[in-house]
Amino acid sequence: MAQRRTVVINSSASSTCWDVGTGLRHLGVIVDGSRRWAKARALSTADGHRAGAEKIHEVLDWCEESGIQVVTMWVLSVANLRRPADELSPLLNIIEDLVLDLHCTGRWDVRPIGDFGLLPKRTAAIMSLVAGAEKPQPGAMQVNVAVAYGGREELVGAVRRSVAELAARGYNAEDIAEALEERDIARHLYTSGQPDPDLVIRTSGEQRLSGFMAWQGFQSELYFCTSLWPDLTRRDFDAALASYDRRSRTRGA
């Protein structure tokens, strides 16, 4: 169960008391702005991605302290794989190190998700290794690291696997069209068995989802933060949770 935590924000003008974290089980995060952060500081793009990876560790600490059960961090989209090799290669190395480091802490249930078939062999092998590794103690926070991920691609894959499953049971095309249900597709998503995201945060000021969790996020609350990802502060994070906490969620009822 998500914990409640009172946060006091002090400023020269006033102090604000927020009670955060109510009912937030799954947090989705679109990690955005590391390249712009590096450019603004005359640093290399790789330096920006390294700073972004360090921030992921910090934000996961905040999530754990807030009692969040599942966190999905989108760190590499399918479209990102079209970046120039001199940028993509260091980025993949940083992601490999990030996923291994998160796993080796032993604190969290780290689950790389995405289409690993699109990745170089070494990167794909590391993602698969961690995905299949022994899990930590029950109750550990689940951390999905979305790599080579796209929401449309995830849906297409889930439908294909659902159709193949029904075909293997002897269904013909007409039978499949009649029998296919939402639960069949949901069972073949990367996040099968996990709650849908309650809140999705995107950093850097961009106000779009870019296909992130297109199926799972249909009722997610959205929070767009102007901070570039490496600049994200605890105040920014708590403001997002407080915003979620103040919203009335009817889920269409």
Side-chain angles (χ1 to χ4, degrees):
M1 179 179 295
Q3 302 168 352
R4 295 191 71 89
R5 181 167 53 84
T6 299
V7 179
V8 179
I9 303 296
N10 294 307
S11 69
S12 57
S14 63
S15 294
T16 303
C17 185
W18 290 330
D19 199 16
V20 302
T22 305
L24 204 169
R25 297 184 300 166
H26 185 170
L27 174 66
V29 182
I30 302 175
V31 174
D32 193 15
S34 295
R35 290 197 297 178
R36 278 170 279 170
W37 181 90
K39 184 177 181 180
R41 289 160 177 77
L43 299 173
S44 71
T45 300
D47 287 333
H49 291 313
R50 276 189 285 270
E54 292 173 4
K55 180 59 65 173
I56 286 174
H57 284 270
E58 188 176 9
V59 172
L60 289 176
D61 285 337
W62 302 342
C63 291
E64 189 173 48
E65 291 169 8
S66 299
I68 296 170
Q69 300 170 18
V70 184
V71 183
T72 299
M73 292 274 184
W74 192 10
V75 300
L76 185 75
S77 70
V78 172
N80 293 156
L81 294 170
R82 296 194 290 269
R83 290 181 179 177
D86 60 350
E87 177 185 349
L88 183 59
S89 181
L91 174 55
L92 290 172
N93 290 337
I94 291 166
I95 291 172
E96 291 170 7
D97 290 342
L98 168 68
V99 169
L100 288 171
D101 288 347
L102 293 176
H103 170 67
C104 289
T105 66
R107 292 172 57 189
W108 304 309
D109 179 358
V110 180
R111 304 181 179 192
I113 61 173
D115 188 349
F116 302 156
L118 299 176
L119 295 169
K121 288 184 179 180
R122 171 187 163 84
T123 309
I126 290 173
M127 298 303 114
S128 297
L129 176 67
V130 173
E134 183 177 351
K135 303 305 178 185
Q137 69 278 7
M141 186 172 71
Q142 296 176 0
V143 178
N144 303 320
V145 184
V147 182
Y149 174 85
R152 289 182 174 181
E153 289 82 359
E154 180 184 20
L155 278 175
V156 169
V159 171
R160 284 175 174 167
R161 289 187 290 273
S162 299
V163 169
E165 182 180 69
L166 291 171
R169 290 160 53 186
Y171 286 69
N172 59 32
E174 185 176 346
D175 293 336
I176 290 172
E178 180 70 24
L180 191 63
E181 298 182 354
E182 282 189 19
R183 62 185 179 184
D184 298 312
I185 297 172
R187 192 171 64 253
H188 290 287
L189 296 171
Y190 297 136
T191 57
S192 176
Q194 296 178 337
D196 290 338
D198 302 293
L199 174 66
V200 175
I201 299 172
R202 182 168 189 159
T203 56
S204 85
E206 300 292 346
Q207 297 189 19
R208 60 180 183 274
L209 294 179
S210 302
F212 180 64
M213 306 195 89
W215 177 284
Q216 304 94 320
F218 79 112
Q219 286 189 332
S220 300
E221 299 292 328
L222 308 178
Y223 187 88
F224 300 107
C225 177
T226 57
S227 296
L228 300 176
W229 175 251
D231 283 334
L232 190 76
T233 65
R234 184 60 182 264
R235 181 189 178 102
D236 294 327
F237 178 81
D238 286 336
L241 268 58
S243 174
Y244 171 82
D245 209 28
R246 291 192 297 266
R247 301 181 193 185
S248 176
R249 306 195 73 205
T250 63
R251 298 183 181 272

